[in-house]
Amino acid sequence: MALFAARVLGATFVVLGLSMLVMTWGSYRRDLGILREGLHAEGTVVKKEFLAASDDSDYILVYAFTPQGGERQEHRRNVSSELWKRLRVGDHLQVQYGRGDPRRSFPEGHGVMSLGLALFFSFVLVLLTLIGGVALFGRAVPEVPPVASTSLPPSS
């Protein structure tokens, strides 16, 4: 039973690690594509939110823009504290968005996953996958109870 549980846990780690690894690099590539080939629009700050926690805080910017030939879009994005403090509701900002998908957008200069962050996530996720692989494919050797030695009669 313990072997089955280890295999299930290992398979879960492998699937989770590989899935998150693919999603990390997909997000990184998508952001780079928006930087290279995306379009620009002027947006307006609609709302600012600050979520405080004991270990971290989130600075959330809600902005709206109208893509070329499209309908008005409104988005929420975590941004740096510097950008959040600098902007006020009603201020204008430049927005970069995906050519084929305006739902993928960010304030210009403030939305790309960095290469360093993608590499860090990759390192952690590869370790997670390897741990899962060991649990999934590792050989389980059952413990053998010690054998009682029998003594032979002394030879004459």
Side-chain angles (χ1 to χ4, degrees), residues 12-28:
T12 303
F13 273 46
V14 168
V15 168
L16 183 66
L18 290 176
S19 299
M20 295 296 291
L21 191 61
V22 168
M23 288 177 17
T24 296
W25 285 101
S27 177
Y28 178 73

Side-chain angles (χ1 to χ4, degrees), residues 20-21 24-25 113 116-126:
M20 295 296 291
L21 191 61
T24 296
W25 285 101
M113 176 186 286
L117 188 59
L119 289 173
F120 172 75
F121 282 155
S122 296
F123 177 75
V124 171
L125 293 170
V126 165

